[in-house]
Amino acid sequence: MSLTSVVIPTTPFEGQKPGTSGLRKKVKVFMEKNYTENFVQCILDALGDKLKGATLIVGGDGRYFSKQAINIIIRIAAANGVAKLIIGQRGILSTPAVSSLIRTHKVLGGIVLTASHNPGGIRNDFGIKFNIENGGPAPDSFTDAVYELTKKISQYKFTPDLDCEFSQTGTQTFEVDGRQFVVEVIDSSDDYVTLMKEIFDFGKLKELIRGDGSRPPFNVLIDSMNGVTGVYVTRIFVEELGASPDNNVRRIIPLDNFGEIHPDPNLTYAKDLVDKVKDDTTYDLGAAFDGDGDRNMIIGKHAFFVTPSDSLAVIANNLDCIPYFKSKGVHGFARSMPTAAAVDRVAAKLGKEMFEVPTGWKYFGNLMDAGRLSLCGEESFGTGSDHIREKDGIWAVLAWLSIIAHKNMSVEDILTEHWKTYGRNYFTRYDYEECDSDDANKMMAHLEHTIADGAFVGKTFTAEGKTYKVKQADNFSYVDPIDKSFTKNQGIRVLFDDGSRVIFRLSGTGSSGATVRLYIDSYEKDNVTCSAQTMLKPLINVALDISQLKKFTGREQPTVIT
Ligand code: VG1
Ligand code: CO
């Protein structure tokens, strides 16, 4: 049957501006008539001439409204001359899996339906982001172009009678406006599992998890937090590596509301996992992922917490335990600006290039494409490598297990050894979620004003008997070393002369109000076994003093401490 597309008039919506990682709003907003349609049409328009005859990947974390959004994408893509969509079965694809698929199929890009670690379900968040040809999140230049288009959109193209099922794998071919339009529904995990098998030694990992003659099973508890990784955890950990479906994995069925939890792998929202690993001392390692599978949290026995900044440094220091890096070699390392500088010390020792980029994975892609970056991470529980162009939660856990198998040491011992060699970067992040936007903006303006004062550098601040002298203060900006693009206003940094830092940023992933992020870090060469909260207390007080955070936001306590 031949189908005909139509042009539907529409009017712009305010605020369709992608943030740190795509457009995120309440589900109810995406459900408004033409809201999703407008945004999808603008993504396709921003692709310009390359769109005609192109193939795109489509999938996401399966959160509420995903299926409706995919139906909209199918009908709009067909009407706009896209030749083919490759869709994950039931619409399920993790963010790293989308990145991998774009690369293996060498397609123009992918539309990812997720609001990542934000809660899902009808009362919560939905999100759409676009990944480009290299598999990475679209750069600012692209998302800015999409935003400009959303401000003046007047129509979108649509194929109303195109009914396409994506619950079963297989290929369907349609004729739309005299052209062929193909939808291929693929298994959500096949491609990703193949990639992981190329990177890691699955035989060795299986021996670790099952135990062999010389050592008992290494007892893991892998928590998908009801997000998309359940599909991949089942395939990789249970089916390939022989983990027990009853004792080694949990919350592995993706739910469209994540079981009403906040699918964010940190000490607050993954407390349930932390408590389990604390209570059951037979567990050697616990790990959790966010809704779309790009974040990871690692804890050791007795819930010994590994900060993401340390996790990155440890992996950097042990890349020789991973076959992929043995054969491909190791180029530079990178971290986002607020991430503690533990990995910088490893880079210096190994003689590798080190990059500091703004918050958001999109800033790593160019460096990887240019062959200058192998491994990178963010303090927000993101770790990844140049095997794809997204951070990758499951990859990070497999990397840790490879290191553990190779060194035959516990998580805690690996960290302790690392700190003995390099010293320790104490790090903590305070999040003040859903503050009033005006209040948060006023606080940032106050900070801008404060650091602009010529007398600020050199000023001293004292708290709890410790004194810090300001060495440098700025609003972080970045020039991409490859394409020279310039990004500014990426967070207020106050650097002290002993190497400690406090950083203030507003989140770019929330769907309502403002989230203030306060990042604190300091370096100790020898004193490496203190608790981070104790060690950083004076610096936290200094940060609260400089920012006047309590006065501006009315908040006595953060909502999340990492
Ligand atoms: C947060 C994190 C940032 C991360 C981004 C997307 O952004 O801080 O490091 O890249 O989320 O992660 P923001 O602007 O809220 O601080 V994901 O897993 O939510 O796509
Ligand atoms: Co995510």
Side-chain angles (χ1 to χ4, degrees):
M1 186 178 75
S2 177
L3 301 165
T4 309
S5 65
V6 295
V7 168
I8 299 182
T10 185
T11 49
F13 287 87
E14 256 181 46
Q16 291 197 323
K17 185 173 171 50
T20 313
S21 179
L23 181 71
R24 298 184 191 183
K25 300 281 176 199
K26 294 284 175 218
V27 165
K28 292 226 163 95
V29 175
F30 275 99
M31 286 174 116
E32 281 173 41
K33 185 166 182 244
N34 294 345
Y35 190 92
T36 301
E37 288 84 347
N38 276 17
F39 192 67
V40 170
Q41 179 68 54
C42 291
I43 290 176
L44 300 188
D45 284 344
L47 289 166
D49 296 340
K50 289 194 272 183
L51 184 72
K52 294 266 174 306
T55 298
L56 296 173
I57 310 290
V58 180
D61 58 17
R63 67 179 59 222
Y64 190 86
F65 194 62
S66 296
K67 294 206 167 112
Q68 293 92 316
I70 291 173
N71 275 315
I72 291 170
I73 291 167
I74 292 171
R75 289 170 183 174
I76 293 184
N80 278 275
V82 170
K84 182 174 177 183
L85 295 180
I86 300 177
I87 305 181
Q89 189 176 7
R90 291 176 288 115
I92 292 279
L93 288 174
S94 73
T95 292
V98 172
S99 186
S100 173
L101 284 164
I102 293 172
R103 295 169 68 78
T104 31
H105 290 269
K106 297 191 171 48
V107 301
L108 183 61
I111 301 178
V112 198
L113 305 161
T114 175
S116 189
H117 56 288
N118 299 18
I122 188 158
R123 292 183 311 283
N124 292 305
D125 291 2
F126 190 71
I128 301 183
K129 68 172 186 159
F130 187 74
N131 282 28
I132 57 173
E133 265 175 303
N134 74 352
D140 292 327
S141 53
F142 184 87
T143 51
D144 289 348
V146 172
Y147 179 47
E148 288 309 315
L149 289 165
T150 66
K151 292 194 239 172
K152 39 182 199 255
I153 185 168
S154 60
Q155 57 179 50
Y156 62 88
K157 297 185 189 134
F158 199 72
T159 320
D161 300 325
L162 176 52
D163 282 318
C164 179
E165 258 292 307
F166 45 91
S167 58
Q168 301 299 327
T169 58
T171 301
Q172 303 161 62
T173 305
F174 305 88
E175 198 187 304
V176 178
D177 301 333
R179 295 180 302 262
Q180 218 189 43
F181 175 68
V182 178
V183 173
E184 184 185 352
V185 180
I186 57 165
D187 181 87
S188 307
S189 54
D190 280 349
D191 167 272
Y192 184 78
V193 175
T194 306
L195 178 65
M196 290 303 117
K197 282 181 158 174
E198 283 163 19
I199 296 173
F200 299 103
D201 181 343
F202 270 43
K204 212 166 165 188
L205 295 177
K206 187 169 186 176
E207 267 172 32
L208 178 76
I209 289 191
R210 297 290 294 258
D212 59 12
S214 64
R215 60 181 166 192
F218 186 79
N219 201 14
V220 298
L221 186 55
I222 310 287
D223 188 347
S224 291
M225 298 186 82
N226 306 317
V228 74
T229 55
V231 175
Y232 304 84
V233 165
T234 303
R235 273 291 295 277
I236 293 175
F237 288 89
V238 178
E239 290 171 20
E240 295 283 344
L241 302 179
S244 151
D246 301 321
N247 300 320
N248 292 136
V249 297
R250 65 193 298 257
R251 301 196 277 195
I252 54 166
I253 308 290
L255 301 175
D256 71 358
N257 65 355
F258 306 113
E260 295 286 329
I261 64 161
H262 209 124
D264 195 356
N266 59 37
L267 295 174
T268 302
Y269 295 124
K271 186 170 181 303
D272 208 43
L273 168 77
V274 173
D275 289 345
K276 277 217 156 43
V277 173
K278 224 179 239 166
D279 293 345
D280 185 341
T281 56
T282 65
Y283 282 121
D284 298 302
L285 176 141
F289 312 106
D290 70 338
D292 65 326
D294 52 0
R295 297 183 177 209
N296 75 94
M297 178 178 75
I298 305 280
I299 55 179
K301 209 179 195 45
H302 308 296
F304 174 87
F305 176 60
V306 182
T307 71
S309 306
D310 277 342
S311 174
L312 174 62
V314 166
I315 296 174
N317 198 36
N318 290 289
L319 287 180
D320 54 333
C321 307
I322 301 170
Y324 173 88
F325 295 102
K326 268 198 179 156
S327 63
K328 288 204 93 176
V330 178
H331 314 293
F333 302 140
R335 59 172 171 81
S336 65
M337 180 274 282
T339 304
V343 66
D344 299 39
R345 296 171 196 282
V346 179
K349 185 167 175 216
L350 302 182
K352 304 288 177 198
E353 250 192 311
M354 181 69 223
F355 302 93
E356 183 179 34
V357 311
T359 297
W361 211 260
K362 57 190 162 199
Y363 298 104
F364 296 122
N366 278 348
L367 293 164
M368 287 182 176
D369 291 347
R372 288 173 69 181
L373 174 58
S374 293
L375 176 80
C376 53
E378 295 192 277
E379 49 63 44
S380 55
F381 298 87
T383 333
S385 92
D386 62 354
H387 67 289
I388 52 171
R389 295 293 179 272
E390 285 279 6
K391 53 190 188 268
D392 189 343
I394 289 191
W395 175 92
V397 176
L398 295 175
W400 263 94
L401 291 175
S402 303
I403 294 168
I404 289 162
H406 192 91
K407 295 177 81 91
N408 201 9
M409 283 166 72
S410 71
V411 172
E412 184 165 355
D413 288 347
I414 290 174
L415 254 299
T416 312
E417 182 190 75
H418 189 89
W419 293 332
K420 277 210 179 106
T421 311
Y422 292 100
R424 178 171 173 193
N425 282 81
Y426 286 92
F427 177 87
T428 189
R429 184 175 105 180
Y430 280 26
D431 293 331
Y432 300 82
E433 297 173 316
E434 296 199 33
C435 293
D436 179 81
S437 292
D438 285 345
D439 293 348
N441 287 327
K442 277 186 198 145
M443 188 196 87
M444 292 305 282
H446 161 76
L447 276 163
E448 281 277 1
H449 184 77
T450 307
I451 64 167
D453 179 349
F456 189 66
V457 171
K459 213 172 162 175
T460 57
F461 292 88
T462 302
E464 314 210 347
K466 271 191 131 177
T467 299
Y468 300 89
K469 187 169 176 190
V470 178
K471 187 175 143 202
Q472 186 193 333
D474 59 15
N475 194 333
F476 184 69
S477 63
Y478 176 71
V479 178
D480 185 294
I482 312 302
D483 67 12
K484 310 293 175 210
S485 56
F486 178 65
T487 315
K488 58 180 186 179
N489 290 334
Q490 292 300 306
I492 304 275
R493 305 190 288 180
V494 181
L495 316 181
F496 300 97
D497 67 355
D498 69 343
S500 340
R501 317 184 294 174
V502 301
I503 294 152
F504 307 86
R505 265 186 80 243
L506 296 187
S507 156
T509 54
S511 61
S512 58
T515 293
V516 177
R517 302 206 195 285
L518 168 56
Y519 311 81
I520 312 277
D521 98 67
S522 79
Y523 174 73
E524 294 285 328
K525 178 80 198 80
D526 301 310
N527 188 2
V528 298
T529 51
C530 189
S531 103
Q533 294 308 320
T534 312
M535 181 59 92
L536 297 172
K537 190 126 187 280
L539 207 49
I540 292 164
N541 288 339
V542 167
L544 294 175
D545 179 20
I546 297 176
S547 61
Q548 297 288 299
L549 185 141
K550 290 184 185 173
K551 190 187 99 190
F552 281 106
T553 64
R555 295 295 178 88
E556 282 299 319
Q557 297 298 333
T559 31
V560 178
I561 295 182
T562 304

